[in-house]
Amino acid sequence: MLATLPTPSTENRPFMGSSRVSDRIRSRLLAAGHRYHANDNIAAFIENGEMHAMHAEVENCVREMLKALVIDVENDHNTADTAKRVAKMFIREVFQGRYEQAPSITAFPNISQLNELMVVGPIRVRSACSHHLCPIMGKVWIGVRPNASSDLIGLSKYARICEWIMSRPQIQEEAVVMLADELEGHIKPDGLAVVMEASHFCMHWRGIKDDGALMKNVVMRGAFKDDKALRDEFYRHLI
């Protein structure tokens, strides 16, 4: 899984004396050898009260960025509270998948030993590219061939896992793999398929400014890799 790849750094808690909360959290991550890329969840390394302190630190940094852009945040009524809003948006909303624990997943026994194709979607997803922090807006479809002896999870849990994984800065190619890894760990199916289609505002809003292009990624695991008829049946359900 991408989030468990080892960090190559050999540093040993160099920020423990810092007054910045981000330095203290980073020090714990380094000591544990835990990767902290933009799409990694670091909730286990954040202590009580530190989310509030991180909000204040990010707010100060955003205010300094606005000043560096020569925006008069002291007198411009439209940007006076922008730093506070942006800090809240990043930490509590669009990047919350980095800072919150995984959603609890309710499992149900597969009493009928179901092992036929199940398709969930389209699930609306929102993320951000880690290159420009621009929005990624799209849909996800999930195909599952359950194992007759494994548990099933509630339907809404598919959407909650998607929301948790997607609420991080990342690239779409890695997001679908991370989502498939998380689902496979919970469901342990005979087969799993994930398709994501999304528009990228880093391409629409800036750069080439092509507002029509979409990106599609497909992950096939288990029976979906080996059984063409199953793959074809799954694709027929995508709308």
Side-chain angles (χ1 to χ4, degrees):
M1 294 173 64
L2 292 169
T4 59
L5 289 174
T7 301
S9 172
T10 57
E11 295 175 86
N12 186 25
R13 315 194 78 171
F15 306 112
M16 282 309 290
S18 173
S19 60
R20 291 161 57 103
V21 64
S22 63
D23 285 341
R24 295 198 296 274
I25 297 170
R26 188 165 23 252
S27 181
R28 293 179 204 125
L29 289 159
L30 289 170
H34 193 284
R35 202 183 78 167
Y36 55 104
H37 289 186
N39 58 347
D40 289 330
N41 180 276
I42 60 170
F45 298 88
I46 300 173
E47 298 182 352
N48 289 338
E50 288 187 333
M51 287 295 289
H52 183 75
M54 190 191 303
H55 187 291
E57 183 180 328
V58 173
E59 180 180 335
N60 287 335
C61 290
V62 173
R63 184 174 293 107
E64 291 305 310
M65 181 190 72
L66 293 172
K67 289 180 179 178
L69 291 169
V70 198
I71 294 174
D72 184 359
V73 296
E74 306 299 333
N75 297 296
D76 177 359
H77 60 284
N78 287 321
T79 57
D81 290 326
T82 295
K84 181 187 297 183
R85 295 189 194 97
V86 171
K88 178 184 177 184
M89 177 184 71
F90 281 158
I91 295 174
R92 303 290 184 183
E93 299 173 328
V94 298
F95 299 163
Q96 64 177 336
R98 298 197 76 230
Y99 310 113
E100 295 184 357
Q101 299 283 354
S104 62
I105 302 299
T106 305
F108 302 94
N110 188 2
I111 293 175
S112 301
Q113 295 189 318
L114 302 171
N115 63 355
E116 299 295 331
L117 172 64
M118 178 177 71
V119 179
V120 181
I123 299 170
R124 292 280 183 182
V125 293
R126 300 159 188 82
S127 191
C129 81
S130 50
H131 298 156
H132 298 93
L133 302 185
C134 288
I136 299 172
M137 312 292 279
K139 304 173 188 175
V140 165
W141 290 264
I142 299 167
V144 178
R145 174 180 274 180
N147 183 288
S149 61
S150 64
D151 288 341
L152 305 173
I153 65 171
L155 183 59
S156 67
K157 303 308 180 188
Y158 291 94
R160 292 190 186 281
I161 292 172
C162 280
E163 172 75 7
W164 184 63
I165 293 292
M166 295 298 165
S167 297
R168 309 172 189 184
Q170 55 199 325
I171 61 173
Q172 184 172 327
E173 299 93 316
E174 292 182 350
V176 290
V177 173
M178 191 174 280
L179 176 59
D181 288 343
E182 189 69 25
L183 288 168
E184 199 166 33
H186 285 289
I187 305 169
K188 296 178 176 58
D190 285 340
L192 175 70
V194 177
V195 173
M196 179 172 176
E197 174 188 278
S199 59
H200 290 240
F201 282 66
C202 62
M203 190 173 178
H204 305 334
W205 190 25
R206 54 162 299 284
I208 191 65
K209 295 185 175 67
D210 182 336
D211 60 1
L214 297 172
M215 183 173 183
K216 298 181 181 180
N217 289 88
V218 178
V219 175
M220 296 286 175
R221 303 270 174 88
F224 284 92
K225 290 186 70 173
D226 305 324
D227 188 338
K228 181 178 183 304
L230 180 64
R231 283 199 305 275
D232 291 344
E233 184 181 359
F234 170 64
Y235 283 132
R236 282 196 294 273
H237 288 285
L238 306 190
I239 301 173

